[in-house]
Amino acid sequence: MNIYTFRDEEQFVQTGANLITSLLHTNPRATLGLATGSTPVGLYAKLIEMHRQGLVSFAQTTTYNLDEYVGLPENHPESYRTFMNEKFFNHVDIQIERTHVPNGNAANPEEECLNYDKMLEEFGPVDLQLLGIGHNGHIGFNEPGESLSGGTHLVELQEKTRNANARFFPTLADVPTHAITMGVATILKARQILLLVRGEDKAEIVHRALKGPITTECPASLLQCHPNVVVLLDQGAGRLLV
Ligand code: F6R
């Protein structure tokens, strides 16, 4: 695992963007696994800026997002499809039909999960999977517990996660209770993983995930099993890793 801690926000974001753009320079057809949440917003903005400067093209890139809420209309302001379109896809030359986000409104969610994995089997593996981490150690929406699911699956969101995400909704009651998420096995199939973490409030979970025991009680700790992980931290998030 290669762990880098940055004092400077600009360098943190630029380093993440450089990893993605250099992959696309060597393989313009690369497949990216993408994440939503607050953490990657600056990275997407940097990629848009680099695209506008003519430094990178996404024209041949295919993307697969980690997760989506169940039951929110696709065009709901807080759906992850809307997030991706607004924060990234609408501003670059990506072909929207090559961007994939699980369908949280599928009539048969189990079938949607199987189809998402089938698509990843057929067109994957993902070359670079971008990840954030939840305060409880979740990656995607793989919540801590006695066991974890390998493939893409339907998950009930833990209260901690719903509370953390309530900042984006009018009230806690509006936060969906379920989501579709890639499973840990799906995530770990990516050739390379890029984990970004910002903020003092994540220092403890970063320490547990990267230095603690590998356990389903901290899903991000399974990243220790992957041979090619790059972790970018700001100073707050890296505070306990001395
Ligand atoms: C988002 C996702 C989540 C987030 C995590 C951190 O697609 O899968 O695991 O990466 O909840 O979220 P932020 O970045 O908002 O702290």
Side-chain angles (χ1 to χ4, degrees), residues 173-186:
D174 297 305
V175 184
T177 54
H178 290 77
I180 289 178
T181 181
M182 280 188 197
V184 279
T186 318

Side-chain angles (χ1 to χ4, degrees), residues 36-37 68-69 71-87 105 165 167-170 174 176:
T36 58
E68 177 61 286
Y69 288 121
L72 287 187
E74 208 182 68
N75 60 359
H76 186 284
E78 296 308 332
S79 80
Y80 285 173
R81 166 50 80 179
T82 301
F83 175 104
M84 289 310 302
N85 288 351
E86 289 183 351
K87 302 276 191 262
N105 290 298
N165 291 2
R167 65 193 194 277
F168 301 115
F169 291 85
D174 297 305

Side-chain angles (χ1 to χ4, degrees), residues 35-40 66-67 80 132-134 138-141 167 202:
T36 58
S38 310
T39 313
L66 281 168
D67 42 19
Y80 285 173
I133 184 174
H138 74 207
I139 46 174
F141 273 131
R167 65 193 194 277
K202 297 265 178 85

